[in-house]
Amino acid sequence: HAVYPFTDVVSQEREQQELKETLLSLQPMVKEHPQESFLDFLSQYLGAAEASRILNATGYDALQLPIVTAAMAYDIIKKHPETQNCTENAGNEWRYATDGYGHLLGQLQRQALAAGVEFRLEHRLLSMEQSGADHLLTFSHKGEVQMQRARHVILAMPPTAMAGLNLDFPAAWSPFQYDSLPLFKGFLTFEKSWFQCLGLSDKMLMANNPLRKIYFKSDKYLLFYTDSQSALYWRDSVEQGEEIYLERVRRHLEEALPLMGKPLPPIQSHFYKHWPHGVEFYLEPEAKHPTALVHPSGIIA
């Protein structure tokens, strides 16, 4: 493992320092607004236009949601490496696995296989029905529909994905409500390592466009990471075709980067991932929620 580098945020203006000063000055007033959204909280003290600018400067679209109170927003900002410098948590050190988590997952899978666990990958659960003492599960697998009987079923899946099953979720399971946010990440590699010349290696740039947060991993690759509306923008871009997606990526990068009027160097390769249920959350964050839910038919989630 190594020190996670992306706590060092680069901004074209003094946005980060202004953001820090504003958030610290307003923090004592949070307790006076326990139910207000973060957007309403900021608007009350700063006006709507400045509140919107502050929210954009955090890089997280989710902070604009009505459900996110001021207290929740400060907690989120304190606990993310990209924004912790705007709080009293500045200087906290994060660490990451230098080679990723593939080896760890592979080792865990081998241990499970040795213990008799069977893995059936790339299956999508479509529905479940009671069949005597059993549950009849219907899966989609590479375009084919498959049926599977099971005496006991434990589900580990996003709550909002469960809403798509015929299990009356959440009404038959829980008195609480659930929602989720989409996430999108895009990776780009280039023929030449031009980040270093701009002083961007191992730093993160906040962008006031749909790229939102741009990470420069040494001289290896560029990554942008988005949530909520920006994630939906990139999902829609991908659905319109790779050419449109890459054209938008290039255009927004040229807007955000200090390229001094020069075009972005040619993209060598790219990879992206969209998570429809990227972040799951309760709509009643203050309530005490159970760690597992049980359906009347005995299914555990």
Side-chain angles (χ1 to χ4, degrees):
H1 59 271
V3 174
Y4 183 75
F6 299 118
T7 57
D8 191 359
V9 179
V10 178
S11 182
Q12 288 176 295
E13 303 171 10
R14 292 188 64 253
E15 280 186 353
Q16 289 304 304
Q17 186 58 35
E18 291 176 4
L19 177 63
K20 182 173 184 176
E21 292 171 0
T22 301
L23 290 176
L24 289 176
S25 68
L26 294 178
Q27 193 166 3
M29 276 75 85
V30 169
K31 291 182 179 179
E32 300 173 20
H33 306 270
Q35 303 301 324
E36 282 186 29
S37 71
F38 189 41
L39 176 59
D40 288 344
F41 171 77
L42 292 177
S43 298
Q44 184 170 331
Y45 289 99
L46 306 172
E50 182 64 9
S52 180
R53 192 185 73 81
I54 289 291
L55 285 167
N56 278 332
T58 67
Y60 285 96
D61 293 351
L63 294 178
Q64 302 182 34
L65 293 174
I67 185 180
V68 177
T69 65
M72 289 169 62
Y74 272 90
D75 191 57
I76 291 168
I77 291 168
K78 285 193 292 186
K79 293 177 179 176
H80 282 74
E82 303 92 343
T83 51
Q84 69 175 22
N85 280 345
C86 297
T87 72
E88 64 273 21
N89 282 356
N92 278 1
E93 188 176 88
W94 295 66
R95 307 189 76 79
Y96 75 105
T98 51
D99 295 325
Y101 294 91
H103 292 300
L104 173 61
L105 292 173
Q107 181 180 338
L108 291 171
Q109 186 171 8
R110 287 190 294 273
Q111 290 177 358
L113 288 168
V117 175
E118 180 183 348
F119 288 84
R120 299 184 187 179
L121 304 179
E122 298 182 31
H123 284 62
R124 182 177 185 85
L125 182 61
L126 301 177
S127 64
M128 274 189 285
E129 296 177 14
Q130 194 86 36
S131 179
D134 293 342
H135 303 282
L136 189 62
L137 290 77
T138 304
F139 292 97
S140 171
H141 177 59
K142 296 185 177 179
E144 296 183 358
V145 174
Q146 299 180 358
M147 313 291 281
Q148 174 74 33
R149 281 186 173 272
R151 178 60 54 90
H152 305 287
V153 176
I154 300 174
L155 296 174
M157 60 192 295
T160 51
M162 286 175 62
L165 300 173
N166 59 331
L167 296 173
D168 194 18
F169 184 88
W173 298 74
S174 165
F176 304 114
Q177 300 294 310
Y178 304 82
D179 205 347
S180 67
L181 298 176
L183 298 178
F184 187 99
K185 287 187 179 183
F187 294 80
L188 306 169
T189 65
F190 299 84
E191 294 179 4
K192 296 180 180 179
S193 55
W194 50 273
F195 315 152
Q196 293 163 315
C197 300
L198 298 177
L200 293 173
S201 294
D202 286 335
K203 293 182 179 178
M204 194 271 287
L205 175 69
M206 290 286 190
N208 192 18
N209 65 33
L211 294 171
R212 307 304 279 125
K213 298 177 291 297
I214 310 170
Y215 305 75
F216 301 87
K217 180 59 181 137
S218 59
D219 60 349
K220 296 179 181 178
Y221 60 84
L222 177 158
L223 155 70
F224 65 92
Y225 169 41
T226 66
D227 68 276
S228 307
Q229 289 303 311
S230 294
L232 295 177
Y233 172 86
W234 292 113
R235 179 206 63 187
D236 294 344
S237 299
V238 166
E239 289 178 351
Q240 292 179 54
E242 184 174 287
E243 187 175 331
I244 289 176
Y245 166 70
L246 289 176
E247 186 278 325
R248 290 181 178 178
V249 169
R250 292 185 62 89
R251 174 161 50 86
H252 290 309
L253 281 172
E254 289 174 351
E255 289 172 359
L257 296 173
L259 296 174
M260 312 301 287
K262 297 179 181 178
L264 185 77
I267 296 170
Q268 184 178 45
S269 63
H270 74 96
F271 170 79
Y272 57 80
K273 178 70 177 177
H274 173 250
W275 292 268
H277 307 276
V279 179
E280 295 280 332
F281 57 88
Y282 304 110
L283 295 182
E284 305 91 350
E286 304 303 320
K288 186 175 182 181
H289 295 268
T291 55
L293 305 177
V294 182
H295 189 266
S297 67
I299 302 168
I300 298 172

